[in-house]
Amino acid sequence: QVQLVESGGGLVQAGGSLRLSCAASGRTSGMYTMGWFRQAPGKEREFVAAIRWSDGNIDYQDSVKDRFTISGDYAKSEAYLQMNSLKPEDTAVYYCAAGGDLSGNYHRFWSSYPYWGQGTQVTVSS
């Protein structure tokens, strides 16, 4: 089992920045992909960004590209999401997820990840 704990959410004005962190513990040896997803009220959970440790591959949802940066420390089993130029439409609960060595675009699908954090609220005011 892998346990994930997110931190760093909060309330920020449009144009501001936040940095989310995700700390993994437990049996992290089989954890090769870490992703960030978000879910706004009344909407489905959507892919935000992912990093694959095996080859360093990084992917973003188009709406956050050039504003968000995913990074991580494999040795520490931690992942981060630096969010800049935040917009009100970025308001959501953000979840960290961990999975195996996901090929192709499987990292974009929430069902590919067996482990999830509890989520952290990000609210962007206009």
Side-chain angles (χ1 to χ4, degrees):
Q1 288 283 7
V2 174
Q3 294 78 41
L4 302 174
V5 178
E6 303 101 334
S7 60
L11 173 64
V12 64
Q13 288 188 333
S17 299
L18 285 174
R19 185 176 187 252
L20 305 183
S21 297
C22 175
S25 61
R27 301 188 66 174
T28 60
S29 60
M31 191 178 71
Y32 294 103
T33 304
M34 292 190 77
W36 288 96
F37 289 74
R38 65 187 181 187
Q39 187 166 19
K43 294 188 177 181
E44 293 187 355
R45 189 169 299 190
E46 65 174 0
F47 168 74
V48 176
I51 183 168
R52 189 167 60 202
W53 302 121
S54 58
D55 60 3
N57 183 61
I58 288 175
D59 189 25
Y60 298 97
Q61 181 200 110
D62 285 347
S63 69
V64 307
K65 203 173 292 184
D66 299 326
R67 297 189 298 121
F68 291 9
T69 302
I70 188 172
S71 62
D73 187 327
Y74 181 72
K76 294 183 178 179
S77 296
E78 293 180 355
Y80 315 101
L81 186 67
Q82 177 66 43
M83 305 185 295
N84 299 328
S85 302
L86 282 162
K87 304 175 180 180
E89 50 263 42
D90 294 318
T91 295
V93 177
Y94 282 70
Y95 296 91
C96 173
D101 193 7
L102 302 175
S103 61
N105 286 330
Y106 283 101
H107 59 272
R108 285 178 165 252
F109 300 98
W110 63 264
S111 57
S112 297
Y113 297 83
Y115 304 110
W116 290 83
Q118 81 287 354
T120 185
Q121 177 70 46
V122 171
T123 303
V124 184
S125 63
S126 57

